[in-house]
Every structure is written in structure tokens, then in C-alpha cells.
Amino acid sequence: MATVIFDDVGVALPAPEGARVMDLADEHPATAVPFSCRFANCGTCRVEVVEGLDLCEPPTEREARVRRIFSDGPSVRLACQLRVGGGDGVVRLRVLLRRAAPPRR
């Protein structure tokens, strides 16, 4: 099983095969991944895959279309569309935009 690490906030999460990064972020608000549409329409949730791109499923045509709008290279993906493929290893992400994390309790 892969581990997804949100580098800039130091959160590491186990990611079963096929897990969508946005779903992991929803379950762990400390990741502070921003979102708006969840359907590859806006690009708000762009993340850079710093390590482990080979452990990620390829982008869908919908995601690729938004990435072209932003002139993003292959390492920038949409968290709402990015799924972790099979295999062990680390997928290290850097969130390009940031929303405020909820206060700690």
C-alpha cells in the first residue's frame, strides 16, 4: 500500500489502491487542500507530485484538459481527480494553493 505525504503540513496517510487524494484530504482536514468543484472544472485543488508519480494513475482526459489550461507539466495534478495506483511506496505532494486549516482542538 502506498503512503501519501502532504509535504508542507507533514501529514502522512495510508492510501489503498484506487484511493482519490481529495477523499483522503476530506478525512484529514489538516492537509488543507482547497477545493471548489470536485469535477476537474476549476483547478483549485492543484498539487505537485514531488515524488511517486509512477504510483499514481494517469490523468483522465477531463483532468488533462484543466492541466492544459494552466500549462501544468506532468507532475502537477488535480487532487479531486488524482488516484493512487497499486504498489508500495510514497506519493509526496505539495499543495499549490492553500486553504486555512481548521483550528486544532
Side-chain angles (χ1 to χ4, degrees), residues 1-63:
M1 179 182 306
T3 300
V4 175
I5 299 173
F6 295 84
D7 225 10
D8 33 0
V9 292
V11 174
L13 304 170
E17 183 176 348
R20 191 170 65 145
V21 169
M22 185 56 77
D23 293 338
L24 296 172
D26 280 344
E27 295 171 13
H28 303 277
T31 61
V33 175
F35 66 90
S36 183
C37 69
R38 296 181 184 265
F39 299 107
N41 287 329
C42 70
T44 303
C45 64
R46 291 165 52 233
V47 295
E48 179 182 8
V49 182
V50 178
E51 177 183 347
L53 190 58
D54 58 322
L55 294 173
C56 299
E57 293 182 2
T60 63
E61 180 52 40
R62 186 177 207 147
E63 179 185 4

Side-chain angles (χ1 to χ4, degrees), residues 5 8 12 19 22 29 31 34 41 45 51 59 64 66 69-70 72-73 75-76 81-82 84 87 90 92 95-96 101:
I5 299 173
D8 33 0
M22 185 56 77
T31 61
N41 287 329
C45 64
E51 177 183 347
V66 173
I69 290 168
F70 286 98
D72 289 332
S75 66
V76 176
Q81 302 297 302
L82 176 57
V84 178
V90 169
R92 187 176 306 274
V95 177
L96 297 181

Side-chain angles (χ1 to χ4, degrees), residues 40 73 102 105:
R105 297 182 182 187

